[in-house]
Amino acid sequence: MTKRVAILISGRGSNMRALCEAMASPDFPAKPVLILSNRPDAAGLDYARAEGLPHAVIDHTQYEAREAFDAALDAELSAAQPDLICLAGFMRLLTPGFVEKWAGKLINIHPSLLPKYPGLKTHQRALDAGDAEAGCTVHYVVPEMDAGEIIGQARVPVLPGDTAETLEDRVREAEHTLYPDCLLRLVSQA
Ligand code: GRF
């Protein structure tokens, strides 16, 4: 049975695009049912529009409390009836109530080899530590940030002369394979 996938973005949306391109393959057992952005100007929305994919904006600046924003998010998602919700560069912390409600269906991609470097500036932190390799992690979302069960990881080398930007580009390329691979694995499970 074709699984229903929602994708939450805040910006460029390159991972969202990688997921949607994978799902466009006729034998992929999932389809995007909602691309949701908390920012009206997210570049990723252009792709959703161009491809005619269902999309929506819930502008977080219109909500005073995090709970109210998450309630609006929850209502939009509930209407789309997703089997899985993929966070893809979604830059809002979600309330524990929201995370608990969608537990087991909510996954994220993070640009480090968790449990190393949860949070921000992961590439600079890997460089500062002198790490020989970096990478990305797809994991379940739990109330504690970047701490949920790991679904998959991809590794890339740190190369001489790397800056946070060059390392970020290499990691992002790996993300574009890892995230669709993990999605396929999850939606293929009974
Ligand atoms: C990615 O590096 C992802 O790991 C992190 O946010 C970034 C999103 O990039 N969570 P994009 O919007 O998918 O291009």
Side-chain angles (χ1 to χ4, degrees), residues 51-147:
E51 294 296 313
L53 298 170
H55 58 277
V57 173
I58 299 179
D59 183 349
H60 67 276
T61 64
Q62 304 300 308
Y63 298 84
E64 272 186 23
R66 219 172 260 285
E67 286 73 15
F69 171 74
D70 280 8
L73 204 58
D74 179 61
E76 192 76 36
L77 284 167
S78 296
Q81 298 187 303
D83 297 300
L84 207 59
I85 301 169
C86 300
L87 307 186
F90 184 68
M91 300 303 286
R92 302 292 301 167
L93 286 177
L94 295 163
T95 54
F98 180 94
V99 172
E100 273 150 27
K101 167 162 180 195
W102 293 99
K105 293 185 172 183
L106 196 53
I107 67 174
N108 181 44
I109 187 156
H110 180 76
S112 79
L113 294 170
L114 291 171
K116 268 192 164 180
Y117 315 132
L120 299 175
K121 297 197 188 298
T122 55
H123 308 297
Q124 191 58 53
R125 286 155 72 196
L127 291 175
D128 291 347
D131 292 352
E133 62 177 10
C136 46
T137 303
V138 174
H139 63 94
Y140 285 103
V141 176
V142 294
E144 193 187 335
M145 192 177 55
D146 301 327

Side-chain angles (χ1 to χ4, degrees), residues 9-17 87-91 108-112 123 136-137 168 171-172 175-176:
I9 64 169
S10 296
R12 179 179 36 226
S14 70
N15 278 288
M16 173 270 293
R17 185 177 178 144
L87 307 186
F90 184 68
M91 300 303 286
N108 181 44
I109 187 156
H110 180 76
S112 79
H123 308 297
C136 46
T137 303
E168 179 180 3
V171 170
R172 189 170 320 103
E175 291 181 5
H176 295 165

